[in-house]
Amino acid sequence: FADFWERFLLCLQKLRDKRQRTVYRLTLVNDWNVSEVEQYASLVDIGKPDFIEIKGVTYCGSNDASSLTMKNVPYHNEVRAFGEKLCSLRNEEYGLACEHEHSLSILLARKDRYLKGRKWHTWIDYEKFQSLYRSGKPFGAEDYMEETPSWAVWGAEEKGFDPQETRFRKKRNHPGKNVSVDSDTKQAIKTT
């Protein structure tokens, strides 16, 4: 469409009127869009979403359809820095609510709606949502929000890993080298 940008901006404007949860999802790609945080901040101002999910691109190997390489995958600290800068550019209207290090993802949330006292409420009470939906009465996101578990909040020691789940760490051995690389931390481990 010749008017795709105007349509896109109109869609963002429509988000402001929604009473349910709204989200922008941004995928960061090194050497493509990581340096454009100011432009993303101005798009946030148009739709004022409840949440902004920021994720590092997932590299799926070489193929003819994509020129991406592992160099294009940001580290978690780079995704975090992008989120911190975006919050700063939005005058702290958004806060750093959640992170999941293994997925290279973070969640920013509107402080005025989802920070109650000093606790984030970014999760959904699905039973309450279903009940509200079946009632046929109008309701908003504030009616079915649930407190974010402590292990999922920004800066938690667990870095987004549910401690009740089993985590498997794969050690990758590279042929011809006497080191293996931890797939989670990307740190070399000397082998004998």
Side-chain angles (χ1 to χ4, degrees):
F1 296 102
D3 63 343
F4 77 92
W5 187 249
E6 292 77 14
R7 288 177 181 222
F8 173 70
L9 294 177
L10 181 61
C11 289
L12 296 183
Q13 291 168 8
K14 298 273 185 197
L15 286 178
R16 283 186 174 200
D17 301 329
K18 300 290 181 191
R19 288 206 57 222
Q20 303 307 325
R21 296 160 62 106
T22 58
V23 62
Y24 282 12
R25 290 200 167 98
L26 311 178
T27 300
L28 297 184
V29 183
N30 278 341
D31 299 328
W32 285 29
N33 67 351
V34 174
S35 63
E36 298 174 354
V37 65
E38 290 87 2
Q39 290 85 348
Y40 282 108
S42 37
L43 291 175
V44 167
D45 195 41
I46 296 170
K48 302 246 186 228
D50 293 323
F51 304 104
I52 304 165
E53 181 186 76
I54 306 169
K55 184 177 185 340
V57 69
T58 301
Y59 177 67
C60 297
S62 300
N63 63 62
D64 293 336
S66 173
S67 62
L68 295 179
T69 69
M70 279 301 292
K71 286 178 20 182
N72 297 113
V73 179
Y75 287 96
H76 188 64
N77 64 330
E78 294 171 307
V79 175
R80 286 178 62 131
F82 186 95
E84 290 168 344
K85 178 76 172 172
L86 189 56
C87 285
S88 173
L89 290 168
R90 294 299 316 127
N91 299 316
E92 304 301 327
E93 176 183 15
Y94 290 85
L96 305 158
C98 301
E99 68 179 318
H100 191 266
E101 183 180 56
H102 183 69
S103 299
L104 289 177
S105 64
I106 63 172
L107 183 72
L108 312 182
R110 290 181 59 105
K111 289 180 177 180
D112 61 341
R113 295 183 187 160
Y114 296 95
L115 187 61
K116 305 296 179 188
R118 301 185 74 191
K119 296 191 182 251
W120 286 106
H121 290 72
T122 60
W123 283 43
I124 297 172
D125 181 336
Y126 285 100
E127 287 183 24
K128 191 164 188 183
F129 175 85
Q130 293 296 327
S131 174
L132 290 165
Y133 177 77
R134 285 191 298 272
S135 77
K137 298 176 183 170
F139 65 96
E142 67 280 358
D143 298 318
Y144 55 88
M145 66 176 62
E146 188 170 283
E147 186 177 323
T148 309
S150 62
W151 52 265
V153 297
W154 181 270
E157 181 180 329
E158 299 87 351
K159 297 187 185 293
F161 293 99
D162 183 343
Q164 295 181 9
E165 306 249 337
T166 303
R167 183 174 178 195
F168 297 96
R169 292 183 183 260
K170 181 178 179 181
K171 302 292 183 204
R172 297 191 176 182
N173 294 313
H174 296 277
K177 296 184 179 179
N178 63 346
V179 296
S180 67
V181 177
D182 184 308
S183 61
D184 289 328
T185 63
K186 296 184 183 178
Q187 293 181 348
I189 303 166
K190 187 166 182 157
T191 58
T192 56

